[in-house]
Amino acid sequence: WNGLSLSLPGTFTVTLTNSLGCDSVITLTLNLLPNSVSWVDTSVCSGALPFVWNGLSLTQPGSFSVTLTNAAGCDSVVNLDLSILPNSSSSEDVSVCANTLPYLWNGLSITQPGSFSVTLTNAAGCDSVVTLNLSLLPNSSSSEDVSVCANALPYLWNGLSLSLPGTFTVTLTNSVGCDSVITLTLNQLPTS
């Protein structure tokens, strides 16, 4: 400034000659405007990568810096600490009896066996893909024919007291916990 090289703020004076040939005292008050530094902590889900920040396309966690211009027109260094939150996945195997379909699971009404997936939100707020592997347990059925003399009636069978011949059905539970339909054909032998 007017032949002076100033490296610190302060008040500086020079005496020059004005247009009339007289002294002209000029005083400069030099102030420094501040640069600024800031830190930003950000977490993003891995499914949201790449994360775009101030012109940077970030795919890994870490610390990153950019130099911008602050409101005073000076450098503003912004530092980013980027964390990556995990997505998650899980699966579950479920077996149900055919007669319990449709199977309700996470808002789905499932009518046949197979693999089904839904995307939920995990504790970190990221995607959690849950897969259901649904299989069907077998129902079973059987039948038997029984012939009895008239004097053997009533015939006791699976909790039923049968006094006439005919076809009768009961539904029990098989070894895997599903329906077992048993049919009895009861015949009456002739009396001679």
Side-chain angles (χ1 to χ4, degrees):
W1 175 73
N2 288 308
L4 299 176
S5 177
L6 308 173
S7 59
L8 294 173
T11 302
F12 305 93
T13 303
V14 292
T15 303
L16 304 173
T17 303
N18 65 19
S19 60
L20 301 174
C22 300
D23 286 347
S24 176
V25 177
I26 301 175
T27 302
L28 170 70
T29 302
L30 180 62
N31 297 309
L32 292 181
L33 297 173
N35 289 332
S36 57
V37 177
S38 61
W39 292 91
V40 177
D41 290 325
T42 299
S43 299
V44 296
C45 298
S46 59
L49 296 177
F51 177 68
V52 177
W53 177 74
N54 286 307
L56 300 175
S57 180
L58 307 174
T59 59
Q60 298 293 322
S63 295
F64 307 92
S65 294
V66 292
T67 301
L68 306 173
T69 302
N70 65 18
C74 299
D75 285 349
S76 174
V77 177
V78 182
N79 299 295
L80 171 70
D81 281 330
L82 180 64
S83 301
I84 308 297
L85 299 172
N87 288 337
S88 58
S89 63
S90 64
S91 65
E92 58 182 299
D93 297 326
V94 174
S95 297
V96 297
C97 299
N99 63 328
T100 63
L101 293 178
Y103 182 73
L104 300 178
W105 177 76
N106 284 308
L108 298 177
S109 179
I110 301 170
T111 59
Q112 59 189 5
S115 291
F116 307 89
S117 294
V118 293
T119 301
L120 306 173
T121 301
N122 65 19
C126 297
D127 286 349
S128 175
V129 177
V130 182
T131 301
L132 169 69
N133 298 309
L134 183 67
S135 60
L136 292 182
L137 296 170
N139 290 333
S140 58
S141 63
S142 64
S143 62
E144 57 183 295
D145 290 328
V146 173
S147 296
V148 295
C149 297
N151 62 349
L153 295 175
Y155 181 76
L156 299 177
W157 177 75
N158 286 306
L160 298 177
S161 177
L162 307 173
S163 56
L164 296 172
T167 302
F168 306 92
T169 302
V170 292
T171 302
L172 305 174
T173 302
N174 64 18
S175 62
V176 294
C178 296
D179 285 352
S180 175
V181 177
I182 302 173
T183 302
L184 169 69
T185 301
L186 181 61
N187 299 303
Q188 182 176 335
L189 296 172
T191 302
S192 57

